[in-house]
Amino acid sequence: MKRYLLGSVACLLLVSNAPAPDAAPEYDIVIRGGRVLDGAGNPWVRADIAVKNGRVVHVGKIAGRGTREIDATGRYVSPGFIDMMDQSGGVLLENGDAENKLRMGVTTVIAGEGGTPVDAAEISNYFKKLESQGISVNFGTYYASHQAREKIMGDAAGAPTPAQLEAMQGEVRTAMHAGVFGITSALIYPPSSFQTTADLVSLAKVAGQCNGFYATHMRDESAKLVPAIEEAIEIGEKGGVKVEIFHLKAAYAPEWGKLMPQAVAAINAARARGVDVAADLYPYTAGGTGLEITAPTWVWADGVEKGIARLRDPKQRERMKKDLAAGSMPGWSNLVHASGGWSNVRLANGFSAKYAQYHGQTFDKIGAALKRDPADAAWDILLEGLPNRSVALYFMINEKDIETALHQPWTSIGSDAAASVKLGGMDALGLPHPRAYGTFPRVIAEYVKRRPILSLEDAVRKMTGWPAQRMGLSDRGLIRDGMHADIVIFDLAKLDDVASWEKPTALPTGIDTVIVNGAVTIEGGKHTGARKGEVLRHSCGD
């Protein structure tokens, strides 16, 4: 018996992988014993992860020791989440921490719906400044097509001359060679809405020469959703670019449950014939945008200054109210109508002490309190808040349509929110929408835990491996040897988005460790001060 026990002990010593306590560390970090989700949609495996020089160097049983040892027993370990529709291009210059993003598990953001905060010629310097100041998340961006338009021909309506269009193409070319991922449009907002399909095809062709994207906030996300999708697909086909549809939604109360299946069918049909089109979305029933969208597009046709003057004119307002009551019209997406009326539109931020007491209230109630037509109340608040952009929440989305979109294998997740200058405050857009603090935890908490719409593996894939593949980030989005060490450790039982319409800046729970390029950036739920994020430049072949 004694010989048998000694033999067993010897055998155990031979097969043990535990590092010797006095051995020099072989790795920077070793994460031990977690349930590893690789980001590709595969079932989790229990494994250790070794990180060195910012990269994952081994996944499996790690014998060597790390300078940092992290015990992930009982928790899940996944790639860092990728925000496919971020708005942080400007605020990162002011504060690179992006802590509200990191607290959601986001390690990479793709910005640029509204463009870059600098002209095309300054993008290279802008990227260098971000790098020199330091950022805590990886950052990539698009360049907006309307930026080129405004620089060449101003903010009024009108068709560009051939020379003007050529000059716009030059701006796009400069931006692409600086490293942007493609061009964007935001076609419900003037002056972007003044661009024709042909104009956008001409600009997309330049992005296509660099294997870039045409990413779009479409011309209509409401009654004419399907024609808007078809326009985006047409631009992609004729321009030779990949198409990304921003925040896919069927934002039209009269057609809930009908439009989204039609939209999905249109995208699937395009993919079946070889169009590289996909979409992202946020998991909320309300969108958030400026009050200027409640005015018909003709108000802004001669530029912003004349548009403001029209808003002050009682006679012009009467015409505007008639258009509001008539519903959407060519070139204008009537979000009040899409939401089912002013009773489903809430003031989020009026940027004015005069109207602060009405934040969170619907415009029918605000109008009643002020003894004003709800439209007049909205436009009064818009004017009072200038030069800031007063914003509202438009409850125009149905949960069943969100579920339909989430079920599609080609959808990813984008918050449509910016980083906050200060944690616990509104995002840099000044919009108190829970998506700035809750989007990514909510995908798991709501659609994996509370409602079994997605498997955990597929939810993580939509936020990691798929968007990385989509954007051509071949060394991110997966936990595999050689990949950048962007990693999130979370407790599934405790994971909750917390942020709500009433408390939109509440912090999520269950995510206490976030690693960016091998640097522990969130630890114990707090920012460590690390700024190891990288600027992600799209290659144009030069």
Side-chain angles (χ1 to χ4, degrees), residues 408-458:
Q408 308 314 310
W410 36 259
T411 54
S412 56
I413 306 301
S415 70
D416 195 10
S420 300
V421 175
K422 183 179 180 181
L423 186 68
M426 284 185 282
D427 76 346
L429 301 177
L431 177 62
H433 192 301
R435 64 194 182 193
Y437 282 78
T439 293
F440 290 82
R442 180 174 173 78
V443 170
I444 295 175
E446 182 67 25
Y447 298 99
V448 174
K449 291 173 60 179
R450 291 191 281 267
R451 285 186 272 166
I453 303 303
L454 299 171
S455 68
L456 177 60
E457 292 82 359
D458 195 38

Side-chain angles (χ1 to χ4, degrees), residues 502-522:
E502 293 72 29
K503 296 181 178 179
T505 61
L507 293 167
T509 58
I511 298 174
D512 47 28
T513 305
V514 180
I515 298 170
V516 182
N517 295 313
V520 177
T521 309
I522 296 294

Side-chain angles (χ1 to χ4, degrees), residues 282-411:
Y282 51 76
Y284 294 94
T285 57
T289 195
L291 283 174
E292 78 282 351
I293 197 62
T294 65
T297 302
W298 62 261
V299 172
W300 312 104
D302 297 310
V304 173
E305 287 188 18
K306 290 187 178 180
I308 294 299
R310 286 176 178 143
L311 280 171
R312 297 186 190 278
D313 185 337
K315 290 184 179 180
Q316 297 293 339
R317 283 199 180 190
E318 289 308 308
R319 179 184 169 190
M320 292 159 59
K321 290 175 194 174
K322 289 178 182 178
D323 288 347
L324 267 173
S328 295
M329 59 180 59
W332 177 47
S333 186
N334 184 342
L335 297 192
V336 178
H337 178 63
S339 301
W342 287 109
S343 61
N344 295 315
V345 182
R346 297 185 195 176
L347 176 62
N349 189 356
F351 289 97
S352 165
K354 181 177 179 180
Y355 294 109
Q357 62 182 306
Y358 300 112
H359 288 175
Q361 293 187 31
T362 59
F363 276 93
D364 60 336
K365 292 182 179 179
I366 296 172
L370 296 172
K371 295 181 172 53
R372 299 279 280 163
D373 183 284
D376 284 314
W379 299 329
D380 290 347
I381 291 169
L382 183 159
L383 293 169
E384 182 71 22
L386 293 174
N388 293 303
R389 185 191 188 206
S390 295
V391 288
L393 300 172
Y394 302 78
F395 287 81
M396 54 190 177
I397 306 164
N398 180 263
E399 275 288 356
K400 290 295 182 182
D401 288 333
I402 293 173
E403 293 177 9
T404 298
L406 283 173
H407 274 303
Q408 308 314 310
W410 36 259
T411 54

Side-chain angles (χ1 to χ4, degrees), residues 104-418:
M104 290 191 286
V106 171
T107 58
T108 297
V109 302
I110 307 297
E113 179 202 24
T116 56
V118 297
D119 286 342
E122 294 300 316
I123 291 174
S124 291
N125 289 334
Y126 162 63
F127 285 163
K128 290 175 183 176
K129 188 173 183 180
L130 287 174
E131 290 172 325
S132 64
Q133 292 183 185
I135 51 178
S136 293
V137 291
N138 304 306
F139 174 81
T141 187
Y142 300 101
Y143 172 78
S145 58
H146 75 262
Q147 284 183 269
R149 179 186 170 95
E150 285 188 81
K151 181 173 183 180
I152 303 304
M153 58 182 295
D155 64 356
T161 65
Q164 287 175 324
L165 191 56
E166 185 177 352
M168 292 179 204
Q169 289 175 318
E171 294 294 311
V172 172
R173 187 172 294 108
T174 297
M176 290 302 303
H177 283 270
V180 301
F181 281 82
I183 62 168
T184 59
S185 66
L187 298 177
I188 71 169
Y189 303 111
S192 187
S193 59
F194 302 141
Q195 299 170 108
T196 67
T197 304
D199 293 342
L200 292 166
V201 168
S202 295
L203 300 183
K205 286 180 178 178
V206 179
Q209 293 168 2
C210 295
N211 192 33
F213 283 84
Y214 169 67
T216 180
H217 178 144
M218 296 180 295
R219 207 173 293 277
D220 197 311
E221 298 174 324
S222 302
K224 297 179 180 178
L225 172 63
V226 175
I229 289 173
E230 291 170 346
E231 181 191 31
I233 290 168
E234 179 184 352
I235 292 166
E237 287 187 289
K238 292 182 177 178
V241 288
K242 295 170 280 191
V243 178
E244 179 71 11
I245 294 172
F246 284 145
H247 44 56
L248 177 65
K249 63 177 77 74
Y252 189 58
E255 295 289 329
W256 282 347
K258 298 178 182 178
L259 280 177
M260 183 58 78
Q262 295 172 24
V264 167
I267 294 170
N268 281 333
R271 290 184 61 83
R273 67 174 184 266
V275 182
D276 192 349
V277 54
D280 54 73
L281 70 148
Y282 51 76
Y284 294 94
T285 57
T289 195
L291 283 174
E292 78 282 351
I293 197 62
T294 65
T297 302
W298 62 261
V299 172
W300 312 104
D302 297 310
V304 173
E305 287 188 18
K306 290 187 178 180
I308 294 299
R310 286 176 178 143
L311 280 171
R312 297 186 190 278
D313 185 337
K315 290 184 179 180
Q316 297 293 339
R317 283 199 180 190
E318 289 308 308
R319 179 184 169 190
M320 292 159 59
K321 290 175 194 174
K322 289 178 182 178
D323 288 347
L324 267 173
S328 295
M329 59 180 59
W332 177 47
S333 186
N334 184 342
L335 297 192
V336 178
H337 178 63
S339 301
W342 287 109
S343 61
N344 295 315
V345 182
R346 297 185 195 176
L347 176 62
N349 189 356
F351 289 97
S352 165
K354 181 177 179 180
Y355 294 109
Q357 62 182 306
Y358 300 112
H359 288 175
Q361 293 187 31
T362 59
F363 276 93
D364 60 336
K365 292 182 179 179
I366 296 172
L370 296 172
K371 295 181 172 53
R372 299 279 280 163
D373 183 284
D376 284 314
W379 299 329
D380 290 347
I381 291 169
L382 183 159
L383 293 169
E384 182 71 22
L386 293 174
N388 293 303
R389 185 191 188 206
S390 295
V391 288
L393 300 172
Y394 302 78
F395 287 81
M396 54 190 177
I397 306 164
N398 180 263
E399 275 288 356
K400 290 295 182 182
D401 288 333
I402 293 173
E403 293 177 9
T404 298
L406 283 173
H407 274 303
Q408 308 314 310
W410 36 259
T411 54
S412 56
I413 306 301
S415 70
D416 195 10

